[in-house]
Amino acid sequence: MLAADKLLLQSSIRQNSIALKEKEFNLHHGNFNAVGTQAAVLAGFTVTAFIEFDCPPDTNRATKFAYYVSSIVSLAANILCVANTTFLSVWGTGLAMRGPDGSMARAVDGMYQLRRNVFALFGLGMMALLVTAIFGSWILMNVEACLLYTSDAADDTPCVDLGGR
């Protein structure tokens, strides 16, 4: 009787551990899906900025170079982010569901270790798109407007007075 109780307790602990890992897996899976979707949207914006943008012929070569380099960095980082989140979601799910005993824990641990890489790629893609927009504004707008808008963005004060709201 005592041995049966011990086996029942061990089985219950294992079951609760797997349920906890499943919740953690679902959290990572949901986060990766959200980040991957947003990275795909940002990649779409970057493709549009890269393909549809016509630089005037008298544009400074250094500014044009910086614009195109930042758009390529944004596109590459966002596509890599989408690819990583897709691989992690597909392979992580396959390992967790069809792998040998302990696969759920291995899948969750692997997703946890690779999350920094995914988030770093997403942040790089977003920041490079911002830099692309800044250089695009420097190419298209006059100097006074660019100085006002790009220097004010670094300020903590709002550009428009919202009447105390």
Side-chain angles (χ1 to χ4, degrees):
M1 181 73 175
L2 194 57
D5 286 343
K6 179 181 175 184
L7 287 175
L8 180 64
L9 183 60
Q10 287 175 340
S11 174
S12 176
I13 289 173
R14 231 181 262 130
Q15 186 177 11
N16 289 339
S17 174
I18 290 173
L20 184 62
K21 285 293 183 183
E22 183 181 5
K23 287 180 183 180
E24 192 175 354
F25 176 84
N26 289 333
L27 172 72
H28 291 310
H29 191 267
N31 287 344
F32 288 147
N33 283 340
V35 169
T37 301
Q38 295 305 313
V41 169
L42 291 177
F45 289 151
T46 304
V47 166
T48 302
F50 186 71
I51 293 174
E52 297 293 327
F53 185 74
D54 285 329
C55 286
D58 61 337
T59 302
N60 182 334
R61 288 177 54 124
T63 307
K64 188 189 294 188
F65 177 77
Y67 173 81
Y68 283 114
V69 166
S70 62
S71 65
I72 289 296
V73 168
S74 176
L75 183 61
N78 284 317
I79 288 175
L80 281 171
C81 183
V82 170
N84 281 344
T85 58
T86 302
F87 291 144
L88 282 170
S89 293
V90 172
W91 289 340
T93 303
L95 176 63
M97 296 297 165
R98 292 185 293 273
D101 284 346
S103 295
M104 177 67 81
R106 281 185 52 216
V108 169
D109 292 343
M111 292 171 99
Y112 182 78
Q113 289 173 352
L114 294 173
R115 81 191 190 298
R116 287 184 194 261
N117 184 30
V118 169
F119 295 148
L121 284 171
F122 179 71
L124 176 64
M126 185 180 296
M127 294 309 295
L129 183 58
L130 176 64
V131 170
T132 300
I134 289 171
F135 281 114
S137 69
W138 274 91
I139 291 170
L140 291 178
M141 302 166 88
N142 61 30
V143 175
E144 294 83 14
C146 289
L147 285 174
L148 175 69
Y149 293 131
T150 56
S151 67
D152 200 35
D155 241 354
D156 287 341
T157 58
C159 296
V160 179
D161 183 19
L162 299 176
R165 287 185 265 170

